[in-house]
């Protein structure tokens, strides 16, 4: 894996994090320090493949991109673009959300439920964790079934998260007959 770095018209493709830090240290405006160096090393060591941009000052950034390109020409021609892996263990849930697969799903939702406080008669939001198994055609169908079930049983002012957010998780349990 190589790293592509760009700051305005200065750009480079390097093979390791030390070369990247040397390149950035050569640019006075960036002001390389220990915190920035640690953050760059953490980013390179992580499994994240999204580009990372660092703010220098208002509306001025430099960018780091992880790539499999061997040369700058390959990078510019997008010959080493990562394709999405369809393996369910590494694919993000947002990609799998609309994938059609009829069967049993276990859905977990964390939502804000409106409850009355007995002593005062006032209402307040409470974080509520709900888990259900249901027959569904996809993760999105599982989400819709859970929200429909809950909205008939809780105060209508309760707030449900987006299916694409971190407060909804699902997993395919198995086929159903």
């Amino acid at each position: 894996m190589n790293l592509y770095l760009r700051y305005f018209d200065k750009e480079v493709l390097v093979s390791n994090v030390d070369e990247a830090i040397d390149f950035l240290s050569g640019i006075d405006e960036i002001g390389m320090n220990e915190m920035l160096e640690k953050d760059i090393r953490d980013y390179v060591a992580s499994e994240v493949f999204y580009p990372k941009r660092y703010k220098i000052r208002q509306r001025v950034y430099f960018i780091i991109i992880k790539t499999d390109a061997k040369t700058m020409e390959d990078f510019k021609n997008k010959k080493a673009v990562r394709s999405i892996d369809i393996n369910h263990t590494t694919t993000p849930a947002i990609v799998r959300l609309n994938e059609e697969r009829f069967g049993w799903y276990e859905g977990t939702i964390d939502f804000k439920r409106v409850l009355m406080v007995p002593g005062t008669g006032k209402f307040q939001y409470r974080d509520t964790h709900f888990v259900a198994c249901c027959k569904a055609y996809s993760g999105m169908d599982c989400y819709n079934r859970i929200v429909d079930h809950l909205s008939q049983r809780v105060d209508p002012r309760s707030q449900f998260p987006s299916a694409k957010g971190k407060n909804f998780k699902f997993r395919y349990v198995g086929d159903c007959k």
Side-chain angles (χ1 to χ4, degrees):
M1 179 193 62
N2 292 325
L3 302 168
Y4 169 79
L5 292 93
R6 186 180 73 221
Y7 179 72
F8 288 109
D9 60 343
K10 298 173 185 160
E11 62 184 0
V12 69
L13 187 71
V14 296
S15 60
N16 62 45
V17 71
D18 293 324
E19 292 175 10
I21 290 171
D22 288 342
F23 169 75
L24 294 171
S25 296
I27 302 171
D28 293 331
E29 297 170 17
I30 291 179
M32 182 58 74
N33 59 35
E34 290 177 16
M35 278 183 22
L36 182 58
E37 181 178 339
K38 181 186 179 318
D39 194 56
I40 292 170
R41 287 185 189 280
D42 290 344
Y43 167 71
V44 171
S46 73
E47 295 294 320
V48 174
F49 279 91
Y50 295 107
K52 177 101 177 193
R53 69 179 194 168
Y54 291 91
K55 187 173 186 175
I56 305 303
R57 60 180 183 276
Q58 188 174 358
R59 293 189 295 250
V60 176
Y61 300 88
F62 73 87
I63 190 168
I64 300 176
I65 300 173
K66 293 180 182 180
T67 181
D68 290 330
K70 301 295 181 211
T71 65
M72 184 68 84
E73 183 178 328
D74 287 348
F75 179 79
K76 295 284 183 166
N77 293 331
K78 297 183 171 123
K79 290 185 179 174
V81 175
R82 273 187 186 270
S83 60
I84 294 178
D85 182 16
I86 303 300
N87 180 353
H88 294 296
T89 59
T90 59
T91 306
I94 194 166
V95 174
R96 295 185 294 127
L97 196 58
N98 291 318
E99 186 177 287
E100 293 266 336
R101 190 173 182 190
F102 183 70
W104 285 100
Y105 285 82
E106 178 182 78
T108 304
I109 190 167
D110 295 319
F111 68 102
K112 301 281 187 185
R113 184 177 184 178
V114 174
L115 293 172
M116 185 176 75
V117 178
T120 63
K122 294 184 180 180
F123 292 90
Q124 69 179 20
Y125 287 102
R126 289 259 173 100
D127 291 331
T128 306
H129 182 77
F130 184 79
V131 180
C133 285
C134 62
K135 286 183 185 178
Y137 290 96
S138 66
M140 190 66 193
D141 187 34
C142 174
Y143 171 82
N144 289 334
R145 288 174 188 254
I146 290 172
V147 169
D148 288 344
H149 173 80
L150 288 172
S151 59
Q152 295 172 9
R153 288 162 176 79
V154 297
D155 192 291
R157 295 173 289 184
S158 297
Q159 299 174 355
F160 298 103
S162 166
K164 298 175 184 175
K166 65 179 181 177
N167 290 325
F168 173 69
K169 295 178 182 69
F170 69 94
R171 69 182 180 97
Y172 180 77
V173 179
D175 293 331
C176 63
K177 297 177 184 179

